[in-house]
Amino acid sequence: GAGVSQSPSNKVTEKGKDVELRCDPISGHTALYWYRQRLGQGLEFLIYFQGNSAPDKSGLPSDRFSAERTGESVSTLTIQRTQQEDSAVYLCASSLFREETQYFGPGTRLLVL
Amino acid sequence: DAKTTQPPSMDCAEGRAANLPCNHSTISGNEYVYWYRQIHSQGPQYIIHGLKNNETNEMASLIITEDRKSSTLILPHATLRDTAVYYCIVRAPQGNTGKLIFGQGTTLQVKP
């Protein structure tokens, strides 16, 4: 079946611009996660959505970062006024429920010039 | 979630078994051991997970010690495509929103 998809696969932007990253989870998966991976580093948790519950935003690094998810469908991660330090791969994962195995998308590679 | 300790790197000859160790001495009774791998420039790929018993699937086997303080991921016949960073993660199903906490992992280099 279809896996997690993310778009765009690559994004180059100028410092100060806003960017929007999209994640399409596996159909039927209620839980959705965003992670960030800087070059040569491990994954950092950013935000978690579970159904219609309030999201866990505890991993968002600053108020320039926000994310939305409508129901159990697509999620968008928005970074406002991008900085060079935001350059990273942004990974999305989904799972049937919170307790279940997470499956990752291919990521969006963001480069802020 | 409990911390894990993995060797930073390992080599394996193509066609041989790759045995990747992981220490998780502070694991709690309800925490699972998960293994993911990340091939260069791709998202992490789920491999296998277990609680107490050894597990096997089409990709790998997971051997968990009786005291659950360590485990070994076994790739029975490593190929060049298995070259990747392998992450061992312990995770409580009900805790921390289910987020995965990735360490530095083991870089496995499969050599011809």
Side-chain angles (χ1 to χ4, degrees), chain A residues 33 35 37 40-43 45 48 56 58 91 95 97-107 109, chain B residues 34 36 38 40-46 49 87 91 93-104:
Chain A
Y33 302 79
Y35 295 84
Q37 186 173 32
Q41 303 294 313
L43 277 73
F45 165 76
Y48 155 74
D56 176 353
S58 60
L91 291 153
S95 61
F97 301 105
R98 180 186 65 187
E99 302 84 1
E100 299 295 323
T101 300
Q102 293 178 33
Y103 296 91
F104 284 80
R109 284 153 190 78
Chain B
Y34 276 79
Y36 282 80
Q38 191 170 26
H40 184 61
S41 298
Q42 297 183 22
Q45 178 188 24
Y46 166 76
H49 74 284
Y87 296 98
R91 174 187 181 222
Q94 301 294 336
N96 287 334
T97 70
K99 66 185 177 186
L100 297 171
I101 300 174
F102 286 76
Q104 295 304 306

Side-chain angles (χ1 to χ4, degrees), chain A residues 41-61:
Chain A
Q41 303 294 313
L43 277 73
E44 307 169 67
F45 165 76
L46 296 178
I47 189 168
Y48 155 74
F49 295 91
Q50 172 69 59
N52 294 316
S53 302
D56 176 353
K57 305 180 182 180
S58 60
L60 294 178

Side-chain angles (χ1 to χ4, degrees), chain A residues 3 7 11 13 18-19 24 27 35 45 52 58 61 69 81-82 94 98 110-111:
Chain A
S7 60
K11 177 72 176 178
T13 191
D18 297 352
V19 295
D24 284 86
S27 178
Y35 295 84
F45 165 76
N52 294 316
S58 60
R69 187 186 188 198
R81 305 181 302 283
T82 52
S94 71
R98 180 186 65 187
L110 175 67
L111 177 61

Side-chain angles (χ1 to χ4, degrees), chain B residues 80-111:
Chain B
L80 299 178
R81 289 174 294 180
D82 292 323
T83 292
V85 180
Y86 287 77
Y87 296 98
C88 169
I89 300 164
V90 293
R91 174 187 181 222
Q94 301 294 336
N96 287 334
T97 70
K99 66 185 177 186
L100 297 171
I101 300 174
F102 286 76
Q104 295 304 306
T106 295
T107 299
L108 174 68
Q109 181 73 49
V110 180
K111 299 188 173 181

Side-chain angles (χ1 to χ4, degrees), chain B residues 38-60:
Chain B
Q38 191 170 26
I39 296 169
H40 184 61
S41 298
Q42 297 183 22
Q45 178 188 24
Y46 166 76
I47 302 173
I48 198 167
H49 74 284
L51 183 63
K52 296 180 186 177
N53 300 321
N54 298 337
E55 302 287 344
T56 295
N57 62 21
E58 65 278 3
M59 288 183 68

